[in-house]
Amino acid sequence: MSKIGTDLLVAKEFLQKSGVVAIPTETVYGLAANAFDEGAVVKVFRIKNRPKFDPLIVHTDSIEKISQFAILENPQLIKLANKFWPGPLTLLLPRKEIIPDLVTSGLPNIAVRIPNHPLTLALLSELNFPLAAPSANPFGYVSPTQAKHVAKQLGEKVNYILDGGECNVGIESTIVGVENGKPTIYRLGGLSVEEIENEVGKVNLQIKNSDNPKAPGQLTSHYAPGKPLYVGELDELISKHSSKRKAIVKYGTNETRKSEGDIEFQLSEKGDVNEAAKNLFRVLREIDETDVEIILAPVLPEIGLGKAINDRLKRASVPNS
Ligand code: TXA
Ligand code: MG
């Protein structure tokens, strides 16, 4: 039997038997296990080589089902849930006992999301448990946006990869909680700050790096490709690194002063931040397959998903570069 496919029944049977299945979502692929089954969840941590202090997002297919394992009572979070689910939004909610400590790393809140992908929604509707699923990449590496990305790095270790095609949004969900009564964003992602603020007004941003992060996705040197990446003004970076063989990541049609042997990769020729988000992780993976020495990337406009893209590029880049 091929490990990659679209067979919901196969996916369901593995999950019911404490297996691990990669699932498509609109943001990135997830590495899923029964969130009520500690033995299954532990496999996810092992496969990813993920530290136990980094909790998992729990995925379900309806707001009604959330009451089994979490408490959605805050009016502003309810507003966001009603407006943006299914979608690239994760809410931090008070958890219930049924959730193993491992899922939340012992934290009082649980991260919950209803993803917007028809295959995964169909799968979730067939299950009587939610799915704990981090992004389906080895810890610290770029998230997968295609089934073959998962197969390449984790194919040997998972039971099945449910192939839902290329992810439409392409970067991970935006994580929102409440702090001192105010909606707070802990991770920038596939739902823009502007869209969230349109619903609930001004929000706090807690997008920090710290040793004890609320969202370890915010650790520096996360989401990183295999080659050193530098972010900034492209022509400056090109002159500075002129002796190296470079991958130049472009956004828009401006000519760059590349030299022979350099390779250009386009995020969005027409300068559309949504298109750039969709292409970002695929492009970084494609660059890793080439023999260039370094990656140079521009800073995108700080509008819409541009903010989240800049955040990812910065975290993927060489510190203090
Ligand atoms: O789009 C996404 O969110 C994807 C898809 C598969 O849903 N998932 C994803 O998961 O990006 P992961 O594990 O790669 O990133 C989840 C982030 C981590 O930074 C984690 O620390 C944070 O969410 N997180 C999870 N549970 C949390 C909790 N209870 N409190 C605070 N942060 C939490
Ligand atoms: Mg991740």
Side-chain angles (χ1 to χ4, degrees), residues 25 27-31 48 50 54-57 59 90 92 103-104 107 109-111 113 133-135 137 143 171-173 175 187 214-218 223:
T25 83
T27 58
V28 301
Y29 275 74
L31 196 62
K48 270 193 72 116
R50 181 180 179 109
D54 193 357
L56 307 184
I57 296 175
H59 299 69
T90 292
L92 295 184
V103 171
T104 62
L107 295 170
N109 286 334
I110 179 173
R113 169 164 124 78
S135 54
N137 50 279
S143 296
I171 47 175
E172 302 84 351
S173 60
I175 301 181
R187 176 176 74 178
K214 278 237 167 64
Q218 302 310 325
Y223 310 106

Side-chain angles (χ1 to χ4, degrees), residues 125-157:
S125 77
E126 293 267 313
L127 297 172
N128 57 5
F129 49 82
L131 293 173
S135 54
N137 50 279
F139 186 67
Y141 193 70
V142 177
S143 296
T145 55
Q146 296 178 20
K148 69 175 184 199
H149 297 164
V150 184
K152 182 149 190 228
Q153 289 184 307
L154 303 177
E156 300 289 302
K157 299 178 177 167

Side-chain angles (χ1 to χ4, degrees), residues 235-246:
D235 277 329
E236 261 172 43
L237 290 173
I238 290 169
S239 330
K240 201 166 155 191
H241 298 279
S242 57
S243 62
K244 293 263 167 60
R245 262 194 331 277
K246 305 176 278 299

Side-chain angles (χ1 to χ4, degrees), residues 198-251:
N198 270 341
E199 262 336 274
V200 293
K202 210 73 195 138
V203 299
N204 284 327
L205 289 186
Q206 286 263 2
I207 321 291
K208 286 190 201 129
N209 303 310
S210 77
D211 294 334
N212 185 16
K214 278 237 167 64
Q218 302 310 325
L219 289 168
T220 41
S221 185
H222 213 78
Y223 310 106
K227 298 176 195 283
L229 182 146
Y230 299 85
V231 189
E233 210 280 306
L234 274 186
D235 277 329
E236 261 172 43
L237 290 173
I238 290 169
S239 330
K240 201 166 155 191
H241 298 279
S242 57
S243 62
K244 293 263 167 60
R245 262 194 331 277
K246 305 176 278 299
I248 300 170
V249 177
K250 291 185 59 166
Y251 177 78

Side-chain angles (χ1 to χ4, degrees), residues 64-118:
E64 293 70 49
K65 283 189 186 171
I66 289 173
S67 58
Q68 291 174 6
F69 57 88
I71 302 168
L72 177 54
E73 276 177 1
N74 179 284
Q76 283 169 304
L77 296 189
I78 290 175
K79 224 171 157 188
L80 292 175
N82 286 329
K83 175 79 185 182
F84 297 114
W85 275 344
L89 167 74
T90 292
L91 296 179
L92 295 184
L93 305 174
R95 65 186 270 205
K96 290 190 176 170
E97 279 289 310
I98 189 170
I99 291 289
D101 279 346
L102 184 61
V103 171
T104 62
S105 303
L107 295 170
N109 286 334
I110 179 173
V112 181
R113 169 164 124 78
I114 302 181
N116 190 12
H117 192 291

Side-chain angles (χ1 to χ4, degrees), residues 257-273:
R257 286 190 249 122
K258 64 172 166 117
S259 18
E260 203 168 319
D262 291 350
I263 316 176
E264 291 187 337
F265 290 82
Q266 184 58 259
L267 288 182
S268 169
E269 190 147 19
K270 58 177 190 270
D272 172 348
V273 283

